[in-house]
Amino acid sequence: FSVASRDDVIWSDAGKFATDPVDVVTQILLAENAEGTVFVPDSASAAAAVSDWRESSFDDGNWFSGTTGFGYDTSGTFSEFVTTDIEDMVLDVNTTLYVRVPFRAGIDPDSVEHLTLRMRYDDAFVAYLNGAEIARSDNAPTDDPAWNAVAPERRNNALAVQFSDFDITDSLENLRAGDNLLAILGVNLQLDSRDLLISPEIVATTRSDNYSR
């Protein structure tokens, strides 16, 4: 059995069986300015006490709440994108922060052709979907970053405020039809860094004919 496509017609050994091109539909599953929570560990013991923070079942009821983007900027460059200022929580306290953003996917994951994580970030990050790692920035620490990890390279501010796209289609098995949790480990360059930004978005591309993989 073989399949070939030409002139918007799909052919097989048995003959023509589709005549119309299939449109794709883009849906934002998680938008910017979504509600979330954040925690800044100030010691190894504080980090150990919330070791399962990436899991959707974790209780973050006593964490600081706000909307994405979480961050701060003493020079004002990120002001347009920081909707929850956490300067007092982070500056001179620690170089990492834990962010949890719940969202509901109102689609069948099997219908998704492509899944993309879009990030405005400074300086680095590692992202997890329902507990599984799905993406990390090129300048993120390796392996499982320590509670006080630092970004090995500074991120250019002009790039930080632009969306960077990360293809997470290979992680579709972690997307649920219903409630989901995006967890993000944000990593700064140094303890007295003048800025920080974590602002995610998740976009799904599906087929208009409701085809399922």
Side-chain angles (χ1 to χ4, degrees):
F1 182 84
S2 62
V3 175
S5 176
R6 59 181 183 273
D7 299 328
D8 294 332
V9 177
I10 300 176
W11 295 79
S12 75
D13 291 341
K16 183 174 67 173
F17 60 87
T19 59
D20 297 320
V22 176
D23 294 328
V24 294
V25 179
T26 299
Q27 301 182 54
I28 298 177
L29 303 186
L30 171 63
E32 285 190 293
N33 303 321
E35 294 184 359
T37 56
V38 60
F39 175 77
V40 180
D42 58 6
S43 65
S45 59
V50 297
S51 60
D52 55 346
W53 68 274
R54 306 171 184 86
E55 304 295 334
S56 56
S57 59
F58 176 79
D59 182 4
D60 60 0
N62 62 348
W63 283 26
F64 183 79
S65 61
T67 58
T68 60
F70 290 107
Y72 67 90
D73 187 356
T74 57
S75 64
T77 304
F78 298 166
S79 298
E80 178 183 352
F81 305 99
V82 173
T83 58
T84 303
D85 192 303
I86 54 173
E87 178 179 347
D88 291 343
M89 296 177 61
V90 182
L91 185 59
D92 292 323
V93 175
N94 195 16
T95 51
T96 68
L97 69 156
Y98 304 160
V99 175
R100 290 169 51 87
V101 188
F103 68 97
R104 186 169 183 81
I107 60 174
D108 179 358
D110 286 339
S111 71
V112 177
E113 294 281 294
H114 298 286
L115 193 64
T116 304
L117 171 67
R118 311 187 73 204
M119 290 287 298
R120 303 186 207 269
Y121 67 95
D122 186 275
D123 282 293
F125 78 91
V126 183
Y128 310 85
L129 181 58
N130 297 317
E133 181 179 332
I134 56 171
R136 64 173 61 205
S137 60
D138 291 340
N139 63 336
T142 59
D143 302 322
D144 186 13
W147 70 273
N148 58 350
V150 296
E153 295 180 12
R154 180 187 301 276
R155 182 158 172 77
N156 183 286
N157 283 355
L159 296 176
V161 297
Q162 300 178 28
F163 267 133
S164 293
D165 290 356
F166 297 82
D167 186 352
I168 57 172
T169 307
D170 288 345
S171 299
L172 263 173
E173 63 183 9
N174 300 299
L175 180 67
R176 301 169 183 164
D179 294 333
N180 293 268
L181 177 82
L182 176 67
I184 300 174
L185 169 68
V187 189
N188 226 337
L189 183 73
Q190 55 199 42
L191 201 60
D192 60 352
S193 179
R194 65 185 182 182
D195 51 30
L196 170 73
L197 179 62
I198 296 293
S199 187
E201 184 175 271
I202 295 180
V203 178
T205 301
T206 60
R207 292 168 49 128
S208 59
D209 60 353
N210 296 317
Y211 170 83
S212 294
R213 292 177 293 105

Coordinates of all heavy atoms in Angstrom, one line a residue, residues 149-189:
A149 N 20.7 27.5 41.6 CA 21.4 27.5 40.3 C 21.4 28.9 39.7 O 20.6 29.8 40.0 CB 20.7 26.6 39.3
V150 N 22.4 29.1 38.8 CA 22.5 30.4 38.1 C 22.6 30.1 36.6 O 23.0 29.1 36.2 CB 23.8 31.2 38.5 CG1 23.7 31.6 40.0 CG2 25.0 30.4 38.3
A151 N 22.1 31.1 35.8 CA 22.2 31.0 34.4 C 23.6 31.2 34.0 O 24.2 32.2 34.4 CB 21.3 32.0 33.7
P152 N 24.2 30.3 33.2 CA 25.6 30.5 32.8 C 25.8 31.7 31.8 O 27.0 32.1 31.7 CB 25.9 29.2 32.1 CG 24.6 28.6 31.7 CD 23.6 29.1 32.7
E153 N 24.8 32.1 31.2 CA 24.9 33.2 30.2 C 23.8 34.2 30.4 O 22.6 33.9 30.7 CB 24.9 32.8 28.8 CG 26.1 31.9 28.4 CD 26.0 31.4 27.0 OE1 25.2 32.0 26.2 OE2 26.8 30.5 26.6
R154 N 24.1 35.5 30.2 CA 23.1 36.6 30.3 C 22.2 36.5 29.0 O 22.7 36.3 27.9 CB 23.8 37.9 30.4 CG 22.8 39.1 30.5 CD 23.5 40.4 30.5 NE 24.5 40.6 31.5 CZ 24.1 41.0 32.8 NH1 22.9 41.3 33.0 NH2 25.1 41.0 33.7
R155 N 20.9 36.8 29.1 CA 20.1 36.9 28.0 C 19.9 38.3 27.6 O 19.7 39.2 28.4 CB 18.7 36.3 28.3 CG 17.8 36.3 27.0 CD 16.7 35.2 27.2 NE 15.7 35.3 26.2 CZ 15.8 34.9 24.9 NH1 17.0 34.4 24.5 NH2 14.8 35.0 24.1
N156 N 20.0 38.6 26.3 CA 19.9 40.0 25.8 C 18.5 40.5 26.0 O 17.5 39.8 25.7 CB 20.2 40.0 24.3 CG 20.1 41.3 23.7 OD1 19.1 41.9 23.5 ND2 21.3 41.9 23.4
N157 N 18.3 41.7 26.6 CA 17.0 42.2 26.9 C 16.1 42.4 25.7 O 14.9 42.2 25.8 CB 17.1 43.5 27.7 CG 17.5 43.3 29.1 OD1 17.6 42.2 29.6 ND2 17.8 44.4 29.8
A158 N 16.7 42.7 24.6 CA 15.9 42.9 23.4 C 15.3 41.5 22.9 O 14.2 41.5 22.4 CB 16.8 43.4 22.3
L159 N 16.0 40.4 23.2 CA 15.4 39.1 22.9 C 14.5 38.6 24.0 O 13.5 37.9 23.7 CB 16.6 38.1 22.7 CG 17.5 38.3 21.6 CD1 18.7 37.3 21.6 CD2 16.8 38.3 20.3
A160 N 14.7 39.0 25.2 CA 13.9 38.6 26.3 C 12.4 39.0 26.2 O 11.5 38.2 26.6 CB 14.5 39.1 27.6
V161 N 12.2 40.1 25.6 CA 10.8 40.6 25.5 C 10.1 40.1 24.3 O 8.9 40.3 24.1 CB 10.7 42.1 25.5 CG1 11.3 42.7 26.8 CG2 11.5 42.7 24.3
Q162 N 10.8 39.3 23.4 CA 10.2 38.7 22.2 C 9.9 37.2 22.6 O 10.6 36.6 23.3 CB 11.1 38.8 21.1 CG 11.5 40.2 20.6 CD 12.5 40.1 19.5 OE1 12.5 39.2 18.7 NE2 13.3 41.2 19.4
F163 N 8.8 36.7 21.9 CA 8.5 35.3 22.1 C 9.6 34.5 21.5 O 9.9 34.7 20.3 CB 7.1 35.0 21.5 CG 6.0 35.1 22.4 CD1 4.8 35.7 22.1 CD2 6.1 34.4 23.7 CE1 3.7 35.8 22.9 CE2 5.0 34.5 24.6 CZ 3.8 35.2 24.2
S164 N 10.1 33.5 22.2 CA 10.9 32.4 21.6 C 10.0 31.2 21.6 O 9.4 30.8 22.6 CB 12.2 32.2 22.5 OG 13.0 33.3 22.4
D165 N 10.0 30.5 20.4 CA 9.2 29.3 20.3 C 10.0 28.0 20.5 O 11.1 27.9 20.0 CB 8.6 29.3 18.9 CG 7.5 30.4 18.7 OD1 7.2 31.1 19.7 OD2 7.0 30.5 17.6
F166 N 9.4 27.1 21.3 CA 10.0 25.8 21.5 C 9.0 24.7 21.1 O 7.8 24.7 21.6 CB 10.3 25.7 23.0 CG 11.3 26.6 23.5 CD1 10.9 27.9 23.9 CD2 12.7 26.3 23.6 CE1 11.9 28.9 24.3 CE2 13.6 27.2 24.1 CZ 13.2 28.5 24.4
D167 N 9.4 23.9 20.2 CA 8.5 22.8 19.7 C 8.4 21.7 20.7 O 9.4 21.1 21.0 CB 9.1 22.3 18.3 CG 8.2 21.3 17.7 OD1 7.2 20.9 18.3 OD2 8.5 20.9 16.5
I168 N 7.3 21.5 21.3 CA 7.1 20.5 22.3 C 6.1 19.4 21.8 O 5.5 18.7 22.6 CB 6.6 21.1 23.6 CG1 5.3 21.9 23.4 CG2 7.7 22.0 24.2 CD1 4.7 22.4 24.8
T169 N 6.0 19.3 20.5 CA 5.1 18.2 19.9 C 5.5 16.8 20.4 O 4.6 16.0 20.6 CB 5.2 18.3 18.4 OG1 4.9 19.6 18.0 CG2 4.2 17.3 17.8
D170 N 6.8 16.6 20.6 CA 7.2 15.3 21.1 C 6.7 15.0 22.5 O 6.8 13.9 23.0 CB 8.8 15.2 21.1 CG 9.3 15.0 19.7 OD1 8.5 14.7 18.8 OD2 10.5 15.2 19.4
S171 N 6.2 16.0 23.2 CA 5.7 15.9 24.6 C 4.2 15.8 24.7 O 3.7 16.0 25.7 CB 6.3 17.0 25.5 OG 7.7 17.0 25.5
L172 N 3.6 15.6 23.5 CA 2.1 15.6 23.5 C 1.5 14.5 24.4 O 0.4 14.7 24.9 CB 1.6 15.3 22.1 CG 1.3 16.5 21.2 CD1 1.0 16.1 19.8 CD2 0.0 17.2 21.8
E173 N 2.3 13.5 24.7 CA 1.7 12.4 25.6 C 1.5 13.0 27.0 O 0.7 12.4 27.8 CB 2.7 11.3 25.7 CG 4.1 11.7 26.2 CD 5.1 10.5 26.2 OE1 4.7 9.5 25.6 OE2 6.1 10.6 26.8
N174 N 2.1 14.1 27.3 CA 1.9 14.7 28.6 C 0.8 15.7 28.7 O 0.4 16.1 29.8 CB 3.2 15.4 29.1 CG 4.4 14.5 29.1 OD1 4.4 13.5 29.9 ND2 5.4 14.7 28.3
L175 N 0.2 16.0 27.6 CA -1.0 16.9 27.5 C -2.2 16.2 27.8 O -2.5 15.1 27.2 CB -1.1 17.6 26.2 CG -2.2 18.6 26.0 CD1 -2.0 19.8 26.9 CD2 -2.3 19.0 24.5
R176 N -3.1 16.7 28.7 CA -4.3 16.1 29.1 C -5.5 16.8 28.5 O -5.5 18.0 28.3 CB -4.4 16.0 30.6 CG -3.3 15.3 31.3 CD -3.4 15.5 32.8 NE -2.3 14.8 33.5 CZ -1.9 15.1 34.7 NH1 -2.6 16.0 35.4 NH2 -0.9 14.5 35.3
A177 N -6.5 16.1 28.2 CA -7.8 16.7 27.7 C -8.5 17.1 29.0 O -9.3 16.4 29.5 CB -8.6 15.7 26.9
G178 N -8.3 18.3 29.4 CA -8.8 18.8 30.6 C -7.8 19.7 31.4 O -7.1 20.5 30.8
D179 N -7.7 19.4 32.7 CA -6.8 20.2 33.5 C -5.4 19.8 33.3 O -5.0 18.6 33.3 CB -7.2 20.1 35.0 CG -8.6 20.7 35.3 OD1 -9.0 21.6 34.5 OD2 -9.3 20.2 36.2
N180 N -4.5 20.8 33.2 CA -3.1 20.7 33.0 C -2.3 21.6 33.9 O -2.9 22.6 34.4 CB -2.7 20.9 31.6 CG -3.2 19.9 30.6 OD1 -2.6 18.9 30.4 ND2 -4.4 20.1 30.1
L181 N -1.0 21.4 34.1 CA -0.2 22.3 34.8 C 1.1 22.5 34.1 O 1.9 21.6 33.8 CB 0.1 21.8 36.2 CG 1.1 22.7 37.0 CD1 0.3 23.8 37.6 CD2 1.9 22.0 38.1
L182 N 1.4 23.8 33.8 CA 2.7 24.2 33.3 C 3.5 24.7 34.5 O 3.1 25.6 35.2 CB 2.6 25.2 32.2 CG 3.9 25.8 31.7 CD1 4.7 24.7 30.9 CD2 3.7 27.0 30.9
A183 N 4.7 24.0 34.8 CA 5.6 24.4 35.8 C 6.9 24.9 35.2 O 7.4 24.3 34.2 CB 5.8 23.3 36.8
I184 N 7.4 26.0 35.7 CA 8.6 26.6 35.1 C 9.6 27.0 36.2 O 9.2 27.7 37.2 CB 8.3 27.9 34.3 CG1 7.3 27.6 33.2 CG2 9.5 28.6 33.8 CD1 6.8 28.8 32.4
L185 N 10.8 26.5 36.0 CA 11.9 26.9 36.9 C 12.6 28.1 36.2 O 13.2 27.9 35.1 CB 12.9 25.7 37.1 CG 14.2 26.1 37.7 CD1 14.0 26.5 39.2 CD2 15.2 25.0 37.6
G186 N 12.4 29.2 36.8 CA 13.1 30.4 36.3 C 14.5 30.6 36.9 O 14.6 30.3 38.1
V187 N 15.5 30.9 36.1 CA 16.8 31.0 36.6 C 17.4 32.4 36.2 O 17.4 32.7 35.0 CB 17.7 29.9 36.0 CG1 19.1 29.9 36.7 CG2 17.0 28.5 36.2
N188 N 18.0 33.1 37.2 CA 18.6 34.4 36.9 C 20.1 34.3 36.8 O 20.7 33.2 37.2 CB 18.2 35.4 38.0 CG 17.8 36.7 37.4 OD1 18.1 37.1 36.3 ND2 17.0 37.5 38.2
L189 N 20.7 35.3 36.3 CA 22.2 35.3 36.1 C 22.9 35.4 37.4 O 24.0 34.8 37.6 CB 22.6 36.5 35.2 CG 24.0 36.6 34.8 CD1 24.4 35.4 33.8 CD2 24.3 37.9 34.2

